[in-house]
Amino acid sequence: MSRLRNGLVLGALALLVLPALASARPGQRSFNQTFPVASKLCTNIANGAGPAKLRADATQIKALCATLLSSFTNAESTYFSTVTPLRQEVISLNAKTRLACATRPSPTCKSTRKADRAQIHAIRAQVRSAGTTYRTAIQTARHTFWNAIHALKGGATVTADTGTPLVPTVTLPVAL
């Protein structure tokens, strides 16, 4: 009986957790998630807290935080402005293939499908390239921010953010 009860409890918990997981968008990370240490430092300095030695340079740190946020926002908007039209192009290529293959498989259908698959393959390469550009921009902003913080009096002791940033996810439809 306890196995049944444990199974029911686990099932109920899974039903509570699944909607939250389904609504999460993998790869969509906020500024605070991308730069956890930097965002905490920025918030603390803005509130008059944080490392005592760095509080003297609060104005400079606030400017560095604003630059970091701006760099993050620019990298994200550049990525999405590059990738969104590519996604729409894949959708239209798939629609063109469906139209060509609507009645029955024919030589036109086969040639359209082959050409569209080649284009979609090239589009996927462009999306990967946009992701690399995004990742590079985030890493550059991170290094610039932390180099400036570590150059300040008392900043050398502050631990920097590390890790490779995740590229935002844009799901491309599968080629037909």
Side-chain angles (χ1 to χ4, degrees):
M1 196 61 152
S2 66
R3 285 186 186 175
L4 177 63
R5 184 180 53 181
N6 289 344
L8 289 173
V9 169
L10 288 174
L13 288 174
L15 289 174
L16 293 173
V17 171
L18 284 176
L21 291 177
S23 67
R25 295 168 68 186
Q28 304 283 27
R29 298 184 71 183
S30 68
F31 176 78
N32 293 344
Q33 292 169 322
T34 304
F35 305 107
V37 179
S39 64
K40 185 175 179 181
L41 175 68
C42 291
T43 302
N44 286 340
I45 292 295
N47 292 333
K53 291 181 181 178
L54 286 178
R55 285 187 218 146
D57 296 318
T59 305
Q60 189 175 357
I61 294 172
K62 288 176 188 177
L64 290 169
C65 292
T67 303
L68 183 64
L69 178 60
S70 174
S71 297
F72 172 76
T73 305
N74 289 340
E76 199 171 52
S77 64
T78 300
Y79 176 79
F80 283 115
S81 67
T82 301
V83 172
T84 301
L86 295 173
R87 184 178 188 283
Q88 291 303 317
E89 189 174 345
V90 171
I91 291 170
S92 67
L93 287 170
N94 279 341
K96 186 175 89 174
T97 301
R98 276 193 193 94
L99 186 62
C101 300
T103 55
R104 60 186 165 83
S106 65
T108 304
C109 171
K110 289 178 184 177
S111 65
T112 302
R113 180 174 282 143
K114 185 176 180 180
D116 289 352
R117 282 185 178 170
Q119 281 185 284
I120 291 172
H121 182 71
I123 289 170
R124 289 188 185 282
Q126 291 175 359
V127 169
R128 283 190 300 275
S129 175
T132 301
T133 302
Y134 170 84
R135 189 176 287 119
T136 301
I138 294 296
Q139 287 291 69
T140 301
R142 177 180 299 184
H143 290 300
T144 302
F145 176 82
W146 285 110
N147 286 341
I149 293 294
H150 289 151
L152 297 173
K153 183 179 178 184
T157 60
V158 180
T159 305
D161 287 308
T162 58
T164 304
L166 295 176
V167 175
T169 303
V170 173
T171 306
L172 294 179
V174 177
L176 297 178

